[in-house]
Amino acid sequence: MARKGNKQGDNGIMLLGIVAGAIVGGAVGLVYTPANGEGNRKRMAEWAGNRAGDAQNKVKEALP
């Protein structure tokens, strides 16, 4: 018998997988990058700030 999936739960698992993959990919990228630590930290801070701004904008768009 086919399992009736819980769309909300399935979406949560997919999102968790995407986030975990991004974290692992970022860590691997930092280990193998030729840049120095200071440059990496600066780029990561800029990237995180941009992603935080993107997330805030998405939340503002989603809320009535």
Side-chain angles (χ1 to χ4, degrees):
M1 179 177 237
R3 185 190 92 155
K4 291 185 178 182
N6 176 357
K7 259 197 178 309
Q8 191 71 8
D10 292 344
N11 289 340
I13 291 171
M14 183 174 153
L15 180 63
L16 179 63
I18 291 170
V19 170
I23 291 170
V24 170
V28 170
L30 285 175
V31 169
Y32 288 105
T33 186
N36 64 9
E38 184 178 339
N40 285 338
R41 285 189 295 274
K42 183 178 178 181
R43 286 196 337 238
M44 281 183 59
E46 290 173 0
W47 180 87
N50 291 338
R51 297 298 78 76
D54 293 345
Q56 288 174 347
N57 291 336
K58 293 282 185 187
V59 168
K60 287 178 184 177
E61 289 174 4
L63 295 176

